[in-house]
Each structure stands twice: as C-alpha cells, then as structure tokens.
Amino acid sequence: MTAQRQAPLPDGWAYDASTVDAGVLNAELFSEIGKPLRRREDHRLVTGKGRFSDDFSIEGQLFAAMVRSPYAHARIGAIDKAEAEALPGVVAVLTGQDALDDGLTAINHSPVPSTRFDVRLTAPDGSPPFIGPHLLLPVDKARHVGEAVAIVVAESRAAALDAAEMVDVAWEELPHVIDSLDAIKEDAPTLWDEVPGNTFVDCEHGNPEATKAAFEEAATVVRAKLHINRVTAVTMEPRAALADYDAETGRSTLYAGSGGAVRQKRELSAVLGIPQDDLRVLSYDVGGNFGARNRVYVEFGLVLWASRRLQRPVKYTASRSEAFLTDYQGRDLHTEVALALDADGKFLAMTADNVSNVGARCVSLSPLSKGAGLITGSYHIPVAHLRTRAVFTNTMCTQAYRSSGRPEVTYAIERLVDLAAIETGIDPIELRRRNLLAPQDLPYRNAVGSLYDSGEYEANMDRAMALFEWDDVGRRRADAKARGKILGVGLANYVESSIGTPKERAEITVAPDGAVEVVIGTQPSGQGHETSFGQVVADMLQIPAADVTIVLGDTDRVSVGGGSHSGRSMRHAGTVMVMASADLLRVARDLAAERLDLAPDALDYADGTFTARGTNRSVTLADLSSEQNPLSVARTNEMHAPVFPNGTAICEVEIDPVTCQIAITRYASVDDVGRCINPLIVHGQSHGGIAQGVGQAMWEDCAIDPESGQPLAGSLMDYGLPRIDTMPFFDVEISEVLSPTNPLGIKAGGEGGTTPALATVTLAVLDALRPLGVTDIAMPITPQRIWQALDTAAATPKEKAPA
Amino acid sequence: MRQLAITVNGEVRTADVEDRTLLVEFLREGLGLTGTHVGCDTTQCGACTVIMDGQAVKSCTVLAVMAEGAEVRTIEGLADGDRLHPLQDAFSRHHALQCGFCTPGMIMASLDVIERHGADLDAQTVRHELEGNLCRCTGYHNIVKAVLDAAGRGSPR
Ligand code: FES
Ligand code: FES
C-alpha cells in the first residue's frame, strides 16, 4: 500500500442526495443552524432539577456494596459469607458461583471495531482475537485490584458497606504484571490460559518492503520510544444504577446513566438471559462520559440480577475511590516510531510499533484501531509500516477515552516532526509546511489505508498562528525572561477519524398543536443534543427551534440507536433527522394536497405551511395531525463512511526554573468540524477537550506501583485534575470545511480539543527547556519531572548530550 | 436515629438522622433535594457546596447534626419562581455548564464569592476562589465569564 493523493471515493462513501430522497440542502434556508442558541437543558440543570442516576429512589429499595479484590492477581478460594450475612440489615451476599448457578453469562462487549473503514485487528494467527470473558463476578481468579468478586445487598448503604468488609475470601496471591512491555516478555505471568504470552492481537499494516527501502535511502532518520500514559475519565458524576423488578409483568427497569441506553439494554438482557423486551433502561441526565460510560459495567448487571432474585429495588452508587479503581480507563500505549526524510526535509517513510495495554480483559480495541489508521497524521508520508499489538495485564480495562487512540498517535508524529526539525536544522513550522497535505490532495489515502475526506490543513495552521500571535513570541519570550521565567511554545497539527456505530433512527411526530417531537438514539452527557438537534429539525421543517422537543434515553421510546461516542452523534443523528424530515414533508404534502383537493406539486411549502400556489388557501403541518392520526414518520439509516476532523493547536508555557512550576499562559486552536450547528456548544466542546488533553500532559496519571500492583491514584487528592486556577482562557476558532459524506457536511466537534493537546504541551515544555539541555520528557509533566530533567541535563557533559 | 430540624431555603425541614449522617445525605435522602450532588469522598470536588449561615460549605464534610438550627440555602432555593437568579441565568447564557453535575455546587460557591468581593471581582480572583470546585466538562473558561458577568463585571473576552 502506498499513500495516494486525490484518491477516488469508494462506493457508498460520498453522500448521494438522490439515494436518500433528501435532496441537496440549501444553506441559505438555514435560520437556526449555525446560531449560538442557549441550551434548552440548562433550566433544569441550573435549578437543581436535573435527573442524574443517583437522584432516583424507590420506596423499599436496598443498597448494594461490592467485595473487591485487594490483589492484582489472585486465585479465588472459598468465600465465607457467614459473618457478613449475620450483620443486621444484610439481605444477601452473592458470589460468582451464585451468578453461574442462575445462568448468567459474560458481557458481550464486542470490542473489535466493525465498520468497513476500521483498521482490521486479529490474533497473531489471523483469527478473531480471544478477548477474555467478562463475567459479572469472576469465579476462577481476580485479575486486577478492585475487581468485584461478591455483592452485598442490605437495607442501608452503611450496612452494605460494613458487611462487604466482613466477607472473607481465601485468596491465593499470584504473580502479576502491570506494564504491557513487561507482559510481552518471555517469563511474564499469564492472565488467561487461552493466551499464554498475553498478546492477543498482533498484526502488520502498510508496506514493509517499500518502507525499508525508503529508510535505507533517507538523508535523515529520527526515532522515538514513547509512552502515552494511562489516565481515567473522572466524570464528575460517579456511576450509579437503580434496578427495579415488577414481579407481575416480569419486567426490570434500570435507571443508569450511560453512553447509550439501547446498548445497555441489549447487552444486559443477554447477560441475564431475559428477552430484550423485559428490560427497560433509562438514562436521563448523565454527568459526563468521555467514553468511560459507553460499555456495560458489571455493577449494572449485578443490581438487576439482585433485584430480580430478591424482588426488591436495588441501588448502587460508586464512591469516587471505586471510580478510580474500576471506571474503564484510557490510553496506555507504548509506541516506537521512526521517520525518514530526504535531503530537502520531505518525509519519505514512517514506521510504528504500537502496543496497547487493554487491562485484564478486552472491552474495546477502538483506541488501538483508531490510532493505527492515523499514524501519519496530517502529513504526506508515501509509505509506512505499522505493527499493532494488544496485551493483557493485571490492570483495570481500558476503553475509548475522549478521542480514542488519536491523541496517542498525534503525540507520536508531532514529537517525531519536532525531532526531525532539530536534526535537519529546518524551522519546525517550515518543515511542517513542506509536508502538510494540500487541499487539492484530498480525498487522500494515507500509507496505512485511511481515506481523509476534506480539509485545509495549512490554512488551519496559519489561522491558529495568527490567533496565537505567533509573530510576537520573541517579545513574549524576552518578557518572560525578564521576570525570571522560561517561555516555550508548542504547535501540533492533527487529523482524526470519526466513525462510530453505523446505525441510527429518528422518529418525528407533529402533534395537533404543532409541537414536534423527535425520538433519537444518541445519549448526550453535556453536549446539548436537546438544543442542537432541535435546530436541525427546525430548519428542515422551517419551524422555530422552540417548537421541537428531543426524546432520548428511554428504551421504551428509543428502539434503535448507537449512543454517543466517536464524534458520531450530530453526524449520524443529523443525517437521519434530515432524511426523516424529508419523509415527513413528503407525507404531509400528499395529505395537504388531498385536503386542498389539488395535485401535490401545486403546493408551495414554507414555514410549516403548505399553500396552494397563487392562492391564500393553506394548510399547516399541525392541521394535518390529529390525536387519532398523528402526523408521524420513522427512518433508520446506516452510514459507514468515516469523516476526518482536523486542525491546529498551539500552547505557550512559562516555567519557573527555580520551583519548576509550569503555567499555561496561552492556548489557541482552530478546529475544522465540518458544518457547525451551534457554535456556543462547539466552542464549549473545544474548551473542555483542551482541558482534558492538557490534564493528561500535565497532571493526570493512573499510577500503579509495579511491585505490589496497587493503584496509587485512588482519590482526587492523588490524581491531578485541571482546576480553575491552573487553566488559561482559550482562543478557539472553528473552521467549516464541509464533509462530502453526509447531507449537512458535518465532521465532529467533541474531540478535536483533546487530540493535539498532549503534543502541544510537551513540545512547549521541550522548547522552553532545550537551551538547558533537555531533549525528552515523559507525561505527565509535573514540576518533579522538570526538576529531574534539568538535573539530568546539568549532569550530562555537553558534548555527550544526545542530539 | 433522631429527628433533626434545619431551615432549608427558608423553611424549617425535619428528617431522621444518625450521628454519622452527613448534611448532604440529610438534603438528598432525607428531604429529596437532589440538586446538591456528591462527586467525591475527600472534600475535593465541591459538587456538594451549599450556603450555611451565610457561608459556602461542602455539605459532604458537615455532619447533619452540626447544622441543627442553621439556615441552609441550596440550589433549589435560588430562583424566584420561574425567574432564574442572575447567576443561574449567566451560567446558561455563557454556556458555563455542559453535563451540569458540577453546576449546583459551582453556582453556590460563586454566590459566596460574589457576595464577598462584589464589584472588585476579577478573573484571577474568581479562579483563585473557585479552586475547590472541579468541573470536568467546560475547561472553566465559560464559568469564569459567567461569574464575572453575574457580578456585574462584564465579560473579559
Ligand atoms: S462531594 Fe466532593 S467535595 Fe463534597
Ligand atoms: S459541567 Fe460537567 S462537570 Fe461541570
């Protein structure tokens, strides 16, 4: 495979107005799309009337607490429940064996990305990978600290917690392994007998021969070994679930915030072995997700199971400590990369060896797969050779975390480009210019097969530099120096892919009073779908946005829906809402024609009303609906083509060389999100995304003691989050280069803030410290790390300092 | 268990408490005032912030019995009927909330900050004073803008 400029579009990739009957959209008719409308969800949230999972309570409910493994790896012997069961208020203590006896099965996470455009990942022998079954409670052994091995149910939360401490498990401690590079060594402890070497995915992509040849001819080669450290989402709302069981109907109801209620219903009903219709999942206000809530949690299955066994409602709310131990975590990629350049600084080839630490079992390969497709970043690199491996370790499972897989590879390529600039002596911006893809190169197939849709990469960079006042950096540097500080700047270009579950469905109903209701299967956790989706439907039907209500998160209302992840929501929901709106207008036109006794094409439509051309006879959408016969349509759409949001971000830091404190003094970015429906919301996404990326670069780390296997970051006192006094104001702008793949031209706007931020912060720090001899620094870049780096550099004789 | 009376949002409210019951549990579970949230177990996040006798406190770190006889104000007591309090309105206008989980605590803490600083408030002071309230969604940019706006200090950018 070789990279290809102006690559032809595969079948079904470009949006074809004729196949979906929606026509070509006329942006001049948009009056709500593009407006920074204030959010409809705000009123309930600012008045304390939000409905988060733990806000629900049911008369007579019981409380659950988990018995968790204190060991990273241990065989589970006898479990003595007697003392716990004897405590007042304790109703039941249940173990993995009880679950097996009741016929419960493992959660089917389906971790292998499955759209036509995902990078294929297989076991070393080419077969589908073994993923490690995820039972609600294991029966053989615990494979990470914090893994639940029993559930205690009691009349009060306090009684449940007290009793959980009394459950006596006969543990047989086993040797453990924490880091994926240790786990692939010959003598590493094995987690699963089915996978003796712990490596359950091992594939190669790209063109090894051509890459090797290019490296042999190169004028310059730069290499780096990098670790993109493990972090966790820290949604401010800890996960919670309340299960209720109706013995009369045999139905269960689960109140549990997630990234998509439909998936929870499908996978949890399968675990319990009940028909899907016997489970209703409600997910109303969700206090942050960022990927962590997209997959099913064992506790959700456990409260459902317990409530069915005990015939009483059962509630579980994670403490923040439990969240740190057992929320699905993110990143944790080791990557070894190299870049070959010719004498003019043109990139010739790239290699990457990516090793993903999935934890104790595999719930998602999305990070490895997404990253694999984007190793060459925003640059034209003719050939590449990539090896991808996924490895089990005795740690909590990792999952897609905001911008799954892309910050990792963006960090790698941008660090390489920076190294290449130093090695060749070419200015880093100039080197980027020489290799960035030009608008006319797109559609572009990169060296590992990803097909970028559209974008103006160099324009992003120029615009971000102007926003950042790049020309003024020299003066600011001198100014900082006069104050005893060292200033550094770091710039990164990025491109990312948004794919996501391909199916989405919209049901649109017009009530006789003119109110429009849209049922859709995405699940916001702060992204404002109730507002922005309303803007789309309002413009499609030419009615005010205030007339549109969006219904989400109740599986009794929403039958199909992929949830919210991978920047899919506005693109998938927007597309299917456009189609359903077109359907609705077609149905309505026929009805109106009948009503007015005219041919359908004798009618004009505007502002919610059909008018007989040249007359004042008219009929509104509301007129066409009645209680018995509401005007209603449903449309399901499947869309596989990916889109490629892209942009540039620049960070400025000031470091105090005495205390090694580091402050972010400026941050600018330009994000090409395709069409922007609500800029107020999209800017908010950029801000939050930047903070999360900066957080990883500067403070966040799921530190684990390799000796004991114990997580060291168990509370907000030892896991560093971005705080209000450590964040700057941001200068963010939106670029709207439309995507050809969907009717609205949407890309995605939720993750672009995060994707380049790891690189921008690291490059800014290295820029500041390079004159002092520092050439490398690992994330998170804490004052201690800076102090160590300065110390090491000072102790290294100048002539021996690595280039 | 004993019965405890606390004035909440201007009304004397009673509920049964244990000695170990926290003020936030009294509010959420005893009174059903679920607008006050719990985001941590180490007094770090501020999601539980309420005003007690005129001072912002983290209600996860106050025993209910310590609040006996006190005047407590929660997010539910801020709006005047359907009319939002200027802070609530500013948070919405500036998009200072996304998921909204930190928002009640953020608003109650800001109320206290504005009360103490009034017209002297600037961005740096807002950032310094709200350091004990965590938000994972917004990057804080719009929160600072909203607080300054509500304090009558306009918008810094
Ligand atoms: S709940 Fe986190 S500070 Fe009170
Ligand atoms: S808005 Fe989600 S935590 Fe602040």
Side-chain angles (χ1 to χ4, degrees):
Chain A
M1 187 179 299
T2 305
Q4 189 185 0
R5 297 173 141 128
Q6 297 182 331
L9 304 180
D11 279 348
W13 195 77
Y15 166 68
D16 180 349
S18 65
T19 60
V20 299
D21 325 310
V24 178
L25 303 181
N26 181 358
E28 274 161 30
L29 284 181
F30 294 170
S31 71
E32 304 283 1
I33 289 175
K35 270 196 199 151
L37 285 197
R38 202 175 152 158
R39 298 196 318 170
R40 305 184 66 162
E41 33 280 89
D42 288 350
H43 194 274
R44 65 172 185 272
L45 294 171
V46 298
T47 53
K49 297 200 184 76
R51 292 184 296 172
F52 296 94
S53 304
D54 185 63
D55 297 346
F56 292 92
S57 281
I58 299 172
E59 200 51 42
Q61 70 193 8
L62 298 168
F63 296 87
M66 303 297 145
V67 179
R68 298 187 180 279
S69 170
Y71 299 110
H73 200 189
R75 205 164 290 290
I76 303 166
I79 299 181
D80 184 355
K81 317 171 177 179
E83 225 178 315
E85 282 171 338
L87 282 187
V90 173
V91 179
V93 179
L94 302 171
T95 66
Q97 192 55 52
D98 296 322
L100 282 187
D101 293 347
D102 278 2
L104 268 58
T105 55
I107 304 169
N108 181 9
H109 290 294
S110 49
V112 188
S114 60
T115 72
R116 277 181 265 149
F117 298 94
D118 283 302
V119 171
R120 290 268 163 261
L121 297 175
T122 63
D125 64 2
S127 61
F130 170 86
I131 57 167
H134 199 182
L135 295 171
L136 299 188
L137 300 167
V139 283
D140 55 345
K141 49 186 191 173
R143 290 177 176 80
H144 66 89
V145 172
E147 182 164 10
V149 296
I151 170 177
V152 176
V153 184
E155 297 287 347
S156 72
R157 199 188 309 268
L161 288 169
D162 288 346
E165 283 184 15
M166 312 299 286
V167 174
D168 193 11
V169 183
W171 295 106
E172 181 201 328
E173 206 182 339
L174 299 168
H176 61 262
V177 61
I178 299 302
D179 191 282
S180 55
L181 293 187
D182 292 332
I184 59 178
K185 287 181 186 153
E186 282 281 307
D187 54 348
T190 293
L191 273 86
W192 297 93
D193 295 342
E194 293 85 345
V195 184
N198 296 321
T199 302
F200 66 99
V201 166
D202 193 348
C203 309
E204 295 198 51
H205 319 264
N207 187 335
E209 295 79 30
T211 305
K212 191 158 173 269
F215 269 83
E216 277 162 8
E217 276 164 31
T220 307
V221 171
V222 285
R223 301 176 186 280
K225 275 190 198 181
L226 305 165
H227 183 218
I228 293 82
N229 57 314
R230 179 182 285 241
V231 292
T232 184
V234 200
T235 59
M236 289 319 297
E237 179 200 18
R239 64 184 192 274
L242 168 62
D244 193 15
Y245 176 62
D246 183 343
E248 226 153 84
T249 62
R251 275 194 106 201
S252 283
T253 303
L254 183 74
Y255 301 82
S258 72
V262 174
R263 179 189 201 122
Q264 302 286 327
K265 169 174 130 167
R266 185 180 64 233
E267 293 182 3
L268 284 167
S269 57
V271 167
L272 298 173
I274 60 172
Q276 285 201 31
D277 284 347
D278 281 357
L279 177 59
R280 178 185 188 190
V281 180
L282 296 157
S283 183
Y284 293 119
D285 290 312
V286 179
N289 177 0
F290 319 116
R293 293 190 210 265
N294 288 340
R295 305 289 162 149
V296 168
Y297 279 107
V298 292
E299 291 89 350
F300 292 8
L302 289 170
V303 291
L304 276 169
W305 172 48
S307 71
R308 292 177 77 90
R309 261 182 85 117
L310 304 169
Q311 311 234 337
R312 291 192 44 193
V314 179
K315 183 172 186 170
Y316 167 78
T317 302
S319 68
R320 179 56 62 192
S321 317
E322 286 181 293
F324 273 112
L325 280 180
T326 58
D327 276 357
Y328 292 127
Q329 301 181 339
R331 317 273 190 248
D332 204 344
L333 181 83
H334 281 284
T335 180
E336 205 173 327
V337 282
L339 179 67
L341 297 87
D342 71 11
D344 294 330
K346 286 271 190 194
F347 300 162
L348 296 174
M350 176 183 185
T351 59
D353 185 355
N354 290 359
V355 182
S356 168
N357 184 342
V358 303
R361 46 182 65 74
C362 178
V363 304
S364 173
L365 285 170
S366 154
L368 184 63
S369 157
K370 288 286 187 101
L374 292 166
I375 53 165
T376 57
S378 320
Y379 306 101
H380 174 56
I381 303 182
V383 288
H385 179 209
L386 164 70
R387 183 176 183 194
T388 49
R389 280 176 284 178
V391 178
F392 293 121
T393 64
N394 293 111
T395 60
M396 182 58 199
C397 315
T398 52
Q399 214 294 90
Y401 168 59
R402 199 169 195 168
S403 195
S404 173
R406 284 93 82 182
E408 292 91 317
V409 295
T410 304
Y411 177 77
I413 184 72
E414 290 294 330
R415 293 255 349 232
L416 273 182
V417 171
D418 196 55
L419 286 172
I422 295 164
E423 189 69 26
T424 58
I426 302 172
D427 172 77
I429 302 299
E430 171 56 27
L431 183 62
R432 285 180 169 89
R433 272 192 213 292
R434 279 184 208 174
N435 292 283
L436 272 176
L437 290 168
Q440 65 273 17
D441 292 341
L442 275 71
Y444 173 79
R445 185 179 293 283
N446 76 7
V448 283
S450 293
L451 191 61
Y452 303 174
D453 55 347
S454 70
E456 296 173 4
Y457 297 176
E458 194 173 0
N460 292 338
M461 188 165 83
D462 285 329
R463 198 166 152 198
M465 286 170 70
L467 201 56
F468 185 79
E469 299 176 291
W470 183 271
D471 292 344
D472 192 40
V473 168
R475 191 199 55 77
R476 298 203 295 270
R477 217 186 275 275
D479 177 69
K481 194 170 174 201
R483 288 181 282 109
K485 301 280 170 64
I486 317 172
L487 184 141
V489 295
L491 175 147
N493 293 308
Y494 75 90
V495 56
E496 53 181 28
S497 59
S498 290
I499 310 178
T501 304
K503 232 188 204 172
E504 195 56 66
R505 175 184 170 89
E507 295 167 20
I508 305 183
T509 305
V510 181
D513 65 356
V516 174
E517 188 187 78
V518 183
V519 178
I520 193 97
T522 62
Q523 178 60 57
S525 47
Q527 300 89 334
H529 294 179
E530 291 166 55
T531 307
S532 57
F533 289 8
Q535 289 175 257
V536 171
V537 173
D539 272 356
M540 293 305 114
L541 300 181
Q542 299 184 44
I543 56 174
D547 290 356
V548 185
T549 308
I550 308 292
V551 177
L552 306 140
D554 174 352
T555 58
D556 274 5
R557 301 293 314 276
V558 182
S559 57
V560 175
S564 292
H565 58 266
S566 190
R568 74 178 288 280
S569 292
M570 182 48 90
R571 184 166 46 93
H572 280 280
T575 299
V576 74
M577 288 187 301
V578 165
M579 294 175 178
S581 300
D583 289 349
L584 185 103
L585 289 184
R586 248 189 312 278
V587 171
R589 179 178 289 271
D590 288 345
L591 289 173
E594 215 172 283
R595 190 76 62 94
L596 297 173
D597 204 11
L598 286 166
D601 57 9
L603 305 181
D604 286 332
Y605 180 78
D607 302 332
T609 304
F610 290 99
T611 310
R613 202 164 297 128
T615 76
N616 59 2
R617 295 174 59 212
S618 67
V619 50
T620 66
L621 290 179
D623 295 338
L624 298 169
S625 186
S626 65
E627 288 299 341
Q628 305 74 27
N629 228 345
L631 178 58
S632 184
V633 295
R635 178 87 184 223
T636 305
N637 182 45
E638 198 165 320
M639 186 164 72
H640 286 265
V643 290
F644 292 80
N646 57 84
T648 303
I650 319 177
C651 174
E652 181 171 292
V653 298
E654 280 187 15
I655 297 171
D656 182 326
V658 180
T659 63
C660 295
Q661 287 293 333
I662 155 174
I664 297 187
T665 46
R666 198 178 273 249
Y667 201 103
S669 73
V670 171
D671 298 301
D672 172 5
V673 302
R675 179 162 339 265
C676 171
I677 307 298
N678 182 325
L680 189 66
I681 291 175
V682 173
H683 281 314
Q685 290 296 310
S686 300
H687 299 161
I690 292 169
Q692 260 170 326
V694 167
Q696 166 151 25
M698 294 197 33
W699 307 286
E700 299 184 37
D701 193 25
C702 291
I704 301 175
D705 174 34
E707 289 300 305
S708 63
Q710 294 295 323
L712 300 176
S715 80
L716 289 167
M717 294 166 79
D718 23 54
Y719 185 93
L721 278 191
R723 288 175 185 262
I724 196 167
D725 62 342
T726 55
M727 282 286 119
F729 284 115
F730 311 106
D731 297 300
V732 298
E733 284 186 4
I734 294 165
S735 158
E736 294 184 84
V737 181
L738 301 189
S739 170
T741 62
N742 61 84
L744 288 161
I746 290 165
K747 289 176 180 166
E751 302 181 319
T754 307
T755 306
L758 282 51
T760 62
V761 174
T762 302
L763 294 181
V765 169
L766 288 174
D767 178 52
L769 300 184
R770 193 165 291 121
L772 300 171
V774 176
T775 56
D776 188 17
I777 198 156
M779 295 183 291
I781 307 173
T782 57
Q784 188 196 11
R785 283 246 164 89
I786 291 181
W787 182 81
Q788 280 169 340
L790 288 174
D791 204 47
T792 310
T796 312
K798 272 270 174 324
E799 54 280 14
K800 281 205 202 135
Chain B
M1 282 279 185
R2 68 175 174 113
Q3 226 190 32
L4 192 72
I6 301 177
T7 306
V8 179
N9 299 327
E11 256 180 71
V12 179
R13 305 287 301 266
T14 55
D16 289 334
V17 299
E18 289 182 65
D19 288 349
R20 63 176 167 186
T21 303
L22 303 169
L23 176 57
V24 69
E25 293 167 344
F26 174 88
L27 294 169
R28 286 182 60 84
E29 280 142 44
L31 306 184
L33 292 174
T34 54
T36 303
H37 297 152
V38 177
C40 74
D41 36 27
T42 53
T43 323
Q44 293 281 304
C45 75
C48 61
T49 308
V50 300
I51 306 288
M52 181 168 134
D53 288 337
Q55 254 195 335
V57 298
K58 292 183 171 174
S59 63
C60 70
T61 311
V62 175
L63 292 169
V65 291
M66 293 161 69
E68 183 153 33
E71 298 248 357
V72 171
R73 196 165 180 206
T74 71
I75 190 73
E76 287 92 347
L78 217 52
D80 179 6
D82 256 357
R83 251 201 33 238
L84 293 180
H85 183 279
L87 250 175
Q88 293 171 313
D89 189 53
F91 265 62
S92 174
R93 271 187 294 111
H94 288 281
H95 189 35
L97 64 150
Q98 289 180 27
C99 79
F101 192 79
C102 72
T103 311
M106 207 55 98
I107 289 179
M108 298 316 280
S110 304
L111 192 67
D112 177 76
V113 173
I114 293 177
E115 210 130 278
R116 281 184 291 108
H117 292 274
D120 292 338
L121 206 53
D122 59 18
Q124 211 189 334
T125 311
V126 172
R127 289 187 185 273
H128 179 67
E129 292 269 355
L130 290 180
E131 184 262 351
N133 287 72
L134 295 175
C135 172
R136 189 53 154 166
C137 300
T138 63
Y140 305 104
H141 180 110
N142 289 338
I143 292 178
V144 180
K145 282 171 63 175
V147 175
L148 289 174
D149 188 343
R153 301 290 296 165
S155 194
R157 4 234 301 152

